Amino acid sequence: MAEPRAVAERGARTGAGADVAARVGAETGPASAGVAEEAATGAAARGTVPVAAESLSTGEPVVAGESAVTEPATVTVEFGGDRDGRAPLTWGQRAIWHAIRRTAPNDHYFNIGRTLPLADRGRPVTVAEAVQGLAALMGRHEALRTRLELSSDGRDAGQRLAATGLLPVTLVRVPDPADAAHEARALVDRLSATRFAYSSEWPVRAALVAVGDRVTHAVLVLCHLAADGHGAEVLVRDLRLLIRRGSAGRPPAATPLDLAREQHGDTGGRRGAAALAHWEAGYRAVPATMFPEPVAAPRAPRFWTGRIVSPALARAVAAVATAHRVSGSTVLLTAAAVLVAAGQGHRTAAVMPIVGNRTAPGHRDLVTTLSQDGLFVLDLEAARTPDPSFADLLPAAYRAALRSYRAAVYDPVEWDALGERMRAERGAEVHPYCCFNDMRLVERAAPPGPAPTVAQLAELRGRTVFGFPATQERVACRYCLHITEEDDALAVSLTADTAYLPPETIRAHLYGIEELVVAAACGRAPLLSGVAELLDTAGRART
């Protein structure tokens, strides 16, 4: 069973989910003028075939030209909610809008895709029932009925909630049930591949895969202004319940519009000021950035993603977390911070974790973008022992992590202003450009029984897999670490600027995380004085 204070920590940091680390490390300073919106929206933008469709009140949709294998068709879903209204963007929405503008026109990068299997259990689901479930989902969650509202010059953004509307839903019929899952994955890829028209398109794209009249999968692709990773999982859960049972229980206790109004009021202002006081103190305690100087000519494309999949790391993280009464996320965050600081010769590490901000009871089921950047500051001398090891730092790191989670709710406009003040004071931009995103919604508990032995961990390390699965031209960060799970393994991805971290350094950091944590689980936690050498040699002998 997970240790209680680790559970509390996870409630703060989980929920960022599908954010890519570029989203966290948006450069300090005001963003440029707004994004030019797409001219085409909805089904027209995606090339789906317009067909006659009936609203929910008249029964099942009529699909024109149906055959054994059909081209994608469009079913129109009529939906309604309790109210309409306008409000400023929430702070989480401001943060992601800041990043979207910097990434445009490649901001489809932030789209969040989810697939809901509907043929895996329970009675068959008809197209009409799935459509009714989607209509109820749109009515239940105000975020799905809310679009961006830009000022005439594109600089100021707010949100506009609609009470009613029509949602185009792509319907694909496949003749063979064995092809349905593949078609659902293809729909996620296709619907995610284009940026949203933020002011005119609903912030959700939906699709259904059917065999005959039986729906096998529902697909949702979400605009990041409407949901973060935790919010996406809430939507998948609620859609399943709405389709299967006709109800998802009580409506959410909070709404994005009400949250925005609270954040921009006096209470929100006081909380935001307290959070930014933590940032200011942290900025004064750390180097201006973690990676100050390029060390190599950048590759083309400039940003490379390295990925390690390690069953040994999964077992070792759980063992170390249990032994030191911290969360597994703290173990991984500390390992990353120690390696970054040692590799760059810093005594103090600064890392920006994405924080889910889901601890308030009313926010657990709220569909919106709540995640924001935190500032984790770790003094490598915090262990206060003569020759400390990696494990000796974990208690101090746990406390620093909690401080960063508590100070991750603030107005990004004020955060920008703080960055400008610090730039003027220090004569250089102050920004870690070092990000950490634990995308697991639930942290897997250590398996029952004794901790893994040295021999068991050595055997598991033989199954570690490494590769460079992706490259891209632009990411607004220099070091972006992502944590996910893959079966019984932890998957750790590092997207980095090759001018600051060449591919061999990316590889060394990922193998270095595995080495630090596995060694600690074996009772041989590396001394901090030897971490730079560990990083220099990590992964060289591994293939």
Side-chain angles (χ1 to χ4, degrees):
M1 183 173 180
E3 194 278 325
R5 65 177 184 175
V7 172
E9 179 185 358
R10 289 200 299 275
R13 61 94 182 153
T14 55
D19 312 60
V20 184
R23 167 251 181 281
V24 191
E27 299 166 16
T28 306
S32 58
V35 174
E37 298 296 343
E38 293 176 358
T41 63
R46 299 189 295 277
T48 54
V49 180
V51 296
E54 300 182 26
S55 71
L56 289 176
S57 61
T58 60
E60 186 172 337
V62 177
V63 181
E66 183 180 342
S67 62
V69 180
T70 65
E71 290 294 316
T74 300
V75 177
T76 301
V77 175
E78 183 179 358
F79 60 83
D82 294 335
R83 63 172 182 167
D84 57 15
R86 287 180 165 85
L89 295 182
T90 67
W91 292 342
Q93 288 173 317
R94 274 188 171 180
I96 192 61
W97 182 237
H98 184 124
I100 284 170
R101 287 190 296 181
R102 290 193 175 279
T103 312
N106 298 317
D107 41 301
H108 65 281
Y109 190 69
F110 298 111
N111 296 346
I112 302 172
R114 292 290 187 271
T115 301
L116 169 61
L118 290 168
D120 54 343
R121 70 183 89 170
R123 62 175 177 78
V125 175
T126 66
V127 172
E129 289 170 332
V131 167
Q132 289 169 352
L134 285 168
L137 190 75
M138 296 291 293
R140 178 179 175 85
H141 292 288
E142 290 187 356
L144 303 183
R145 309 195 312 273
T146 301
R147 292 177 284 203
L148 191 73
E149 193 166 57
L150 289 172
S151 61
S152 57
D153 63 4
R155 289 187 174 274
D156 296 323
Q159 55 185 315
R160 182 178 74 255
L161 169 67
T164 61
L166 301 172
L167 177 71
V169 177
T170 301
L171 174 63
V172 176
R173 298 183 190 268
V174 297
D176 187 347
D179 296 331
H182 173 77
E183 186 61 40
R185 289 192 295 270
L187 279 166
V188 170
D189 291 341
R190 194 176 89 220
L191 296 180
S192 301
T194 55
R195 61 193 299 267
F196 276 84
Y198 301 101
S199 294
S200 56
E201 184 182 1
W202 299 117
V204 57
R205 296 167 182 164
L208 302 172
V209 179
V211 178
D213 187 48
R214 303 308 184 193
V215 176
T216 63
H217 296 81
V219 168
L220 299 176
V221 171
L222 302 159
C223 172
H224 211 333
L225 283 168
D228 53 21
H230 184 101
E233 297 303 322
V234 171
L235 289 172
V236 170
R237 180 202 66 191
D238 284 2
L239 182 57
R240 179 185 286 277
L241 292 171
L242 289 166
I243 291 173
R244 291 292 189 191
R245 303 179 185 177
S247 171
R250 293 180 180 178
T255 69
L257 256 65
D258 293 339
L259 176 61
R261 291 163 180 160
E262 176 189 323
Q263 288 181 338
H264 289 272
D266 292 341
T267 301
R270 288 191 294 272
R271 181 177 183 182
L276 290 176
H278 165 83
W279 280 81
E280 182 170 355
Y283 277 166
R284 295 184 188 283
V286 299
T289 187
M290 287 293 97
F291 303 96
E293 299 293 339
V295 297
R299 302 293 183 97
R302 179 163 180 152
F303 291 85
W304 285 37
T305 297
R307 185 171 188 261
I308 191 171
V309 180
S310 172
L313 184 60
R315 292 295 307 277
V317 164
V320 173
T322 299
H324 294 274
R325 298 175 58 82
V326 299
S327 72
S329 193
T330 293
V331 174
L332 291 163
L333 175 59
T334 306
V338 165
L339 287 165
V340 167
Q344 296 295 314
H346 300 310
R347 197 197 79 171
T348 305
V351 182
M352 295 170 65
I354 294 181
V355 182
N357 291 324
R358 295 277 173 178
T359 53
H363 293 173
R364 303 279 171 81
D365 295 328
L366 176 59
V367 175
T368 188
T369 291
L370 288 173
S371 55
Q372 290 187 254
D373 303 338
L375 180 63
F376 171 78
V377 175
L378 182 62
D379 182 350
L380 299 193
E381 298 182 2
R384 309 302 181 204
T385 58
D387 198 3
S389 71
F390 162 70
D392 292 331
L393 266 185
L394 289 172
Y398 172 78
R399 295 189 295 271
L402 286 185
R403 288 192 293 270
S404 75
Y405 302 149
R406 292 172 184 141
V409 181
Y410 51 86
D411 187 345
V413 173
E414 296 298 325
W415 181 82
D416 283 344
L418 171 63
E420 288 302 313
R421 291 198 303 274
M422 296 304 299
R423 180 199 294 264
E425 179 180 314
R426 297 182 61 168
E429 181 185 23
V430 181
H431 193 300
Y433 287 114
C434 182
C435 309
F436 177 90
N437 187 4
D438 189 340
M439 299 172 67
R440 300 170 296 165
L441 294 181
V442 177
E443 195 171 291
R444 184 181 298 175
T453 64
V454 173
Q456 288 171 330
L457 290 173
E459 187 276 328
L460 288 172
R461 288 192 80 177
R463 294 167 49 195
T464 298
V465 176
F466 175 85
F468 287 103
T471 61
Q472 52 200 309
E473 194 53 53
R474 185 181 182 191
V475 177
C477 196
R478 293 170 188 162
Y479 174 108
C480 311
L481 198 74
H482 290 77
I483 313 298
T484 58
E485 289 182 343
E486 189 170 295
D487 299 325
D488 65 343
L490 275 180
V492 184
S493 298
L494 174 56
T495 299
D497 185 336
T498 56
Y500 295 85
L501 291 99
E504 60 273 17
T505 307
I506 295 173
R507 176 188 175 95
H509 272 269
L510 291 171
Y511 274 115
I513 289 172
E514 184 188 52
E515 175 64 29
L516 269 179
V517 180
V518 170
C522 292
R524 301 191 299 263
L527 298 179
L528 297 182
S529 58
V531 170
E533 181 180 354
L534 180 151
L535 183 62
D536 188 52
T537 59
R540 286 186 183 176
R542 308 295 296 274
T543 58

